[in-house]
């Protein structure tokens, strides 16, 4: 049975936990540092999903039986490069926020709340049922004759 | 049959164009399609009656074994005749009814034609998927047709209500079909299902079959407007009259009846099937008929009358004996004809007088004798006057019940009449009396000559007492009715005369369910003295009711329930809307930490729920692989802990870098060299990016969290950490199959022509992933540039200096730009390192297919070389070193990658398939490369572009903005 070391899983858990702790902050630079930790944690988890570590997956140099699982590695490679891009984007956001407001904190989106409040108010507009009886006087077929 | 459905849909597509060209006469052209349905049915008639049902099949989704079947047996044949015949006539009627300038005529023509096609599909489909598809199509198209005058609110409400009710019923139908199909003995073909249920192959008493049948019945009842869904039909009367005549009399509402008739021969043995449908149908009949007696709107009288009749027909059919089935089918046929004729009559009356309120009409019959006579014929059939087809059906039912229906669930067999038979008969008798009464109410209301004063008194609102200009000398003013409309009404009304051919009808209609249902069909004018007496009784009672119509109305107004099902529906819709809005308000508060918490909690909760519901049987635990691994885990944990603790931005960034380096070493220990080198260079670039941005921001994190939110975050952190550990533990223990990657070692060499399996996965096995990733990188780089390059809208200019790190100091100096010196150690080192790193990057790219390396790591290394130039000499040096603007490099990279993806096509392979190319140069050696290499070159170039973009944006542009600010 090829299961990963428990130590690796613990590390993944710890990194994810630390990442989440920072992720729930309001300062954008902290959020993206947290995202960096979270990415490391998920990468470790991905690697752990490949089971026990092994020799590098290089044909001709190593015995295929002793190699580590190459598939998680390929996925992690994608993840590592993309995390660089995400971090850069987040920092650019932080910079932009600082440029406009003087700090890099994410404030609450008031519009978001207003939208849902309005939705509740407008619910009254859609709650009619039609029985055909409320409009006896209307001729539905000839608009010209009204 | 398939071709005919497709023809309808094509005609619907060209219908708007036809209307543009020909105006309302286009409807007559479109009427050809339903006419073809009729012709097809007539042509197939000999085969259908001989009992050999023509079939067609079409493989739709081979992977799921979905094949569409169409089959025209007697029931389908009858439905085709109704759907096609009435459709043809209604289209002809509509071509006179509408004017060329009527609003939405193009939409009407298209949706009506498509509806006719879908309805034909419902009638002839013999597999559950096909039937369900057409069933849903009719629901959506009817929504469009009912909401024809969408600028009016009642039309919108009525259309939405009809759609909501019928399509939720359709969902139940779908689930029911799936359940029936997957039950042992089930089949996706409907005829097969019925046959299996009749022969016992399908165990009719198994819970699965009962559940499936119940769901299907719910679908049928909702479509045919039976209780408790009946109120959508009167609500849908906001539709134009031709739509009501077709959808709400002949076609759509008959789909449910059709389905019950289709299933009854087999499914009457399912416990509860017949009794429940019969009960629901009979109650619907009574309620509908009573409600019809208090309506003033002629169309509503008909609508409630339709609800009532549909209840009766469904109940009759579901009784489950051959005699009841035959009488039900006769009712189905005659109802389609007289009800559509009557709806069209209302349209004609309304068109000529401008009203359909029976309190405002008087003496119309005197001015329009032809119309009144046609309507009288149809109304007679509705009332069940002897020798009309309506009479024939009712008579057959009554005599069948008197003689004992013979249905198994009633306890019949050959025991003769049972109390249940008599009870049903009594209810039908009452319903027929009410029917005859509202038939009179309708006809006399539309055409009779009355003293309007008498009705004025009965109206409590009193809005009728105001003088109406249209009423002159006790006669409502009438405009002439066009001849085609009269013709259509007459043709449909003369369907009542089918009652003159009882033997022929018995011969044909009796074929459905014959041999499967007990008893035999019997249709006749005269079935003995008792039925004749009952008919007389019906008309006597009906005459009494009609004479005291006002009294009946008053009683109903006083006794009527305050809360109707329609109110209940409105209330539940309202509550759902409010509930949804409240849920949204609760979940999405506009606060980022809250939203993220909700997402994370859902994730952890979902995973936990799965684990709790299906806990893995075993748990394998292995503590660690090697001492270095444990050491690294400890080091990384410490670094991560301090990252969280640090209050200074720069320190946090440094510690994050430390975590990254630790992780990088961990990859080495785990045997992933590709990851290790990529992680290393990515960490380097990432750290530079952090420094470049953070130098502009305040040194300390601004947010000093409240105690409470800190505890919350701690809680969330612990939950996610535990969630991750559990998920990893259980997921890896749950593995029972060999990993898919076990095959990849072989494939990498034989298909991908490479020795570095990870690289082959990236550029070949999962190449689409890589292409997607490249696009994401491109978007990110563009996003970063846009965020920084747009300046302005600034509110509080504040300046922050960053101190402490060497690198920051270096960039600070670099930002001064112009005064470059060649003396520092950095510049000398850079001079040496820049070309070396470029060469290394190209080497990494080239060996990547067979050794650790590849486009990603190569690109980042090359990018780092440029970063070095920037650190040494500022933006001027970077500009010197950059071969082209970052945007161009990005684009070129994506272009090359696309080229590499498409090149295999030249060799006849598929997109992104690795193709080996070998060139031999005699004694000089051979060149061997694969097309995947070109994709990797694209990756390389694009990644260089990304890094350059980041540096020139977050470095040079930020320098410029800082310098500008200092000057200001």
């Amino acid at each position: 049975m090829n299961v990963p070391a428990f130590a690796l899983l613990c590390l993944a858990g710890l990194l994810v936990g630390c990442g989440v702790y920072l992720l729930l902050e309001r300062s954008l630079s902290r959020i993206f540092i947290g995202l960096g930790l979270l990415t490391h944690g998920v990468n470790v988890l991905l690697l752990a999903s490949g089971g026990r570590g092994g020799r590098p997956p290089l044909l001709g140099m190593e015995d295929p039986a002793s190699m580590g699982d190459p598939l998680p590695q390929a996925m992690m490679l994608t993840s590592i490069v993309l995390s660089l891009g995400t971090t850069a984007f987040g920092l650019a956001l932080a910079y932009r926020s600082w440029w406009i407001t003087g700090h890099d904190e994410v404030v609450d989106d008031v519009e978001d709340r207003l939208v849902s409040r309005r939705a509740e108010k407008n619910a009254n507009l859609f709650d009619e049922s039609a029985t055909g009886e409320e409009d006896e006087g209307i001729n539905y077929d000839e608009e010209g004759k009204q | 049959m398939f071709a005919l459905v497709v023809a309808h849909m094509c005609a619907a597509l060209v219908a708007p164009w036809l209307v543009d060209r020909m105006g309302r006469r286009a409807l007559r052209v479109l009427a050809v399609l339903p006419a073809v349905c009729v012709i097809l049915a007539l042509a197939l008639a000999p085969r259908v009656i001989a009992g050999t049902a023509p079939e067609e099949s079409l493989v739709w989704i081979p992977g799921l074994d979905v094949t569409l079947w169409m089959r025209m047996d007697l029931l389908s044949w009858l439905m085709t005749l109704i759907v096609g015949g009435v459709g043809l006539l209604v289209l002809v009627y509509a071509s006179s009814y509408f004017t060329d300038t009527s609003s939405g005529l193009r939409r009407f023509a298209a949706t009506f034609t498509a509806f006719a096609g879908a309805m034909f599909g419902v009638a002839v489909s013999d597999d559950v998927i096909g039937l369900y598809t057409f069933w849903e199509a009719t629901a959506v198209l009817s929504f469009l047709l009912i909401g024809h005058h969408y600028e009016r609110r009642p039309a919108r409400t009525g259309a939405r209500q009809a759609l909501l009710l019928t399509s939720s019923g359709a969902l139940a139908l779908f689930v029911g079909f799936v359940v029936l199909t997957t039950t042992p003995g089930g089949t996706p073909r409907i005829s097969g299902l019925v046959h299996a249920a009749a022969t016992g192959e399908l165990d009719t008493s198994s819970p699965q079959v009962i559940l499936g049948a119940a769901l299907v019945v719910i679908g049928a009842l909702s479509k045919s407007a039976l209780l408790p869904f009946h109120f959508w039909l009167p609500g849908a009367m906001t539709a134009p009259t031709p739509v009501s005549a077709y959808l709400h009399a002949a076609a759509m509402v008959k789909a449910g009846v059709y389905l019950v008739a289709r299933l009854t021969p087999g499914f009457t043995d399912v416990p509860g099937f017949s009794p429940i449908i019969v009960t629901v149908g009979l109650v619907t009949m009574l309620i509908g008929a009573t409600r019809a007696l208090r309506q003033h709107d002629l169309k509503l009288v008909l609508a409630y009358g339709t609800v009532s009749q549909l209840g009766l027909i469904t109940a009759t059919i579901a009784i489950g004996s051959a005699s009841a089935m035959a009488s039900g089918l006769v009712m189905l046929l005659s109802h389609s004809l007289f009800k559509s004729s009557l709806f069209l009559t209302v349209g004609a009356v309304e068109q000529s007088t401008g009203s359909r309120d029976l309190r405002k009409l008087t003496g119309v019959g005197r001015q329009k004798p032809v119309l009144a006579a046609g309507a009288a014929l149809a109304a007679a059939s509705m009332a069940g006057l002897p020798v009309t087809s309506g009479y024939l059906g009712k008579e057959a039912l009554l005599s069948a019940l008197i003689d004992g229906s013979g249905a198994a669930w009633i306890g019949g067999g050959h025991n003769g009449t049972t109390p249940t038979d008599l009870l049903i008969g009594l209810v039908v008798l009452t319903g027929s009396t009410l029917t005859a009464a509202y038939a009179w109410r309708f006809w006399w209301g539309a055409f009779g000559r009355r003293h309007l004063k008498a009705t004025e008194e009965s109206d409590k609102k009193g809005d009728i007492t105001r003088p109406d200009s249209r009423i002159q000398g006790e006669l409502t003013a009438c405009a002439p009715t066009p001849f085609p409309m009269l013709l259509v009404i007459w043709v449909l009304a003369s369907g009542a005369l089918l009652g003159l051919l009882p033997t022929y009808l018995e011969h044909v209609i009796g074929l459905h369910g014959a041999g499967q249902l007990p008893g035999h069909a019997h249709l006749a004018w005269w079935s003995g003295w008792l039925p004749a007496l009952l008919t007389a009784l019906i008309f006597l009672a009906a005459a009494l009711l009609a004479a005291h119509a006002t009294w009946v109305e008053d009683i109903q107004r006083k006794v009527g329930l305050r809360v109707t099902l329609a109110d209940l529906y409105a209330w539940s819709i309202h509550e759902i809307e409010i509930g949804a809005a409240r849920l949204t308000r609760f979940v999405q508060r506009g606060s980022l930490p809250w939203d993220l918490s909700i997402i994370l909690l859902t994730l952890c909760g979902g995973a936990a729920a799965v684990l709790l519901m299906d806990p893995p049987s075993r748990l394998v635990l292995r503590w660690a692989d090697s001492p270095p691994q444990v050491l690294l885990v400890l080091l990384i944990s410490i670094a991560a802990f301090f990252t969280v603790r640090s209050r200074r931005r720069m320190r946090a960034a440094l510690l994050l870098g430390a975590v990254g380096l630790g992780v990088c070493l961990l990859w080495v220990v785990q045997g992933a060299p590709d990851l290790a080198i990529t992680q290393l260079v990515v960490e380097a670039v990432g750290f530079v990016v952090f420094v470049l941005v953070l130098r502009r921001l305040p040194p300390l994190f601004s947010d000093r969290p409240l105690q409470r939110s800190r505890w919350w975050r701690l809680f969330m952190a612990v939950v996610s950490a535990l969630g991750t550990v559990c998920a990893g533990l259980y997921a890896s223990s749950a593995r029972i199959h060999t990993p898919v990657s076990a095959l990849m070692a072989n494939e990498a060499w034989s298909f991908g022509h490479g020795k570095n399996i990870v690289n082959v996965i990236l550029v070949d096995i999962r190449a689409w992933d890589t292409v997607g990733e490249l696009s994401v990188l491109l978007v990110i780089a563009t996003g970063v540039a846009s965020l920084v390059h747009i300046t302005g809208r600034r509110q509080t200019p504040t300046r922050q200096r960053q101190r402490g790190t060497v690198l920051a100091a270096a960039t600070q100096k670099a930002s001064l730009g112009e005064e470059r010196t060649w003396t520092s150690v950095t510049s000398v080192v850079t001079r040496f390192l820049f070309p070396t790193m470029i060469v290394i990057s190209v080497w990494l790219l080239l060996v990547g297919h067979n050794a650790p390396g590849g486009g990603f790591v190569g690109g980042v290394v090359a990018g780092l070389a440029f970063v070095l130039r920037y650190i040494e000499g500022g933006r001027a040096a970077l500009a010197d070193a950059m071969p082209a603007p970052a945007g161009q490099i990005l684009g070129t990279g994506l272009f090359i990658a696309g080229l590499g993806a498409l090149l295999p096509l030249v060799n006849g392979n598929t997109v992104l398939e690795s193709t080996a190319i070998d060139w031999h140069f005699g004694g000089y050696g051979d060149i061997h490369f694969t097309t995947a290499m070109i994709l990797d070159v694209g990756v390389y170039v694009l990644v260089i572009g990304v890094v350059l973009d980041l540096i020139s944006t977050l470095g040079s542009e930020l320098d410029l903005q800082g310098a500008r600010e200092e000057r200001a």
Side-chain angles (χ1 to χ4, degrees), chain A residues 3 6-7 25 29 59 69 77 95-96 99 104-105 109 113 116 124 127 130 139-141 143 145, chain B residues 97 103 149 161 241 350-351 574 585 589-590 622-623 649 702 713 741 755 762 787 790 794 961:
Chain A
V3 292
F6 189 62
E25 288 264 6
S29 34
L59 294 172
D69 194 337
L77 203 68
Y95 171 77
R96 181 91 184 127
W99 176 264
D104 68 342
E105 285 178 31
D109 189 349
R113 280 186 202 187
S116 51
N124 294 318
D127 64 343
N139 178 342
Y140 284 101
D141 300 331
E143 50 273 33
K145 287 188 181 177
Chain B
Y97 179 80
S103 67
H149 295 293
Q161 178 177 289
T241 302
E350 183 175 21
Q351 197 197 41
H574 179 79
R585 249 177 82 178
R589 295 189 175 176
R622 202 157 47 82
W623 290 105
R649 288 174 205 273
S702 51
R713 281 181 288 137
S741 46
K755 291 177 184 163
L762 283 175
L787 278 172
I790 305 167
R794 183 162 196 189
Q961 290 182 8

Side-chain angles (χ1 to χ4, degrees), chain B residues 385-410:
Chain B
L385 218 60
V387 308
T388 60
S389 55
Y391 164 78
L392 200 61
K394 210 166 283 182
E395 178 76 6
L397 176 63
L398 284 177
S399 59
L401 287 170
I402 290 166
D403 296 342
S405 62
W409 65 279
I410 298 180

Side-chain angles (χ1 to χ4, degrees), chain B residues 132-153:
Chain B
Y132 170 73
T133 310
F134 289 120
W135 189 281
E136 281 286 22
T138 59
V140 173
L141 291 166
S142 79
F143 168 76
L144 295 173
L145 287 168
I146 296 169
H148 182 75
H149 295 293
Y150 57 84
E151 66 282 359
R152 290 172 190 156
R153 188 173 166 152

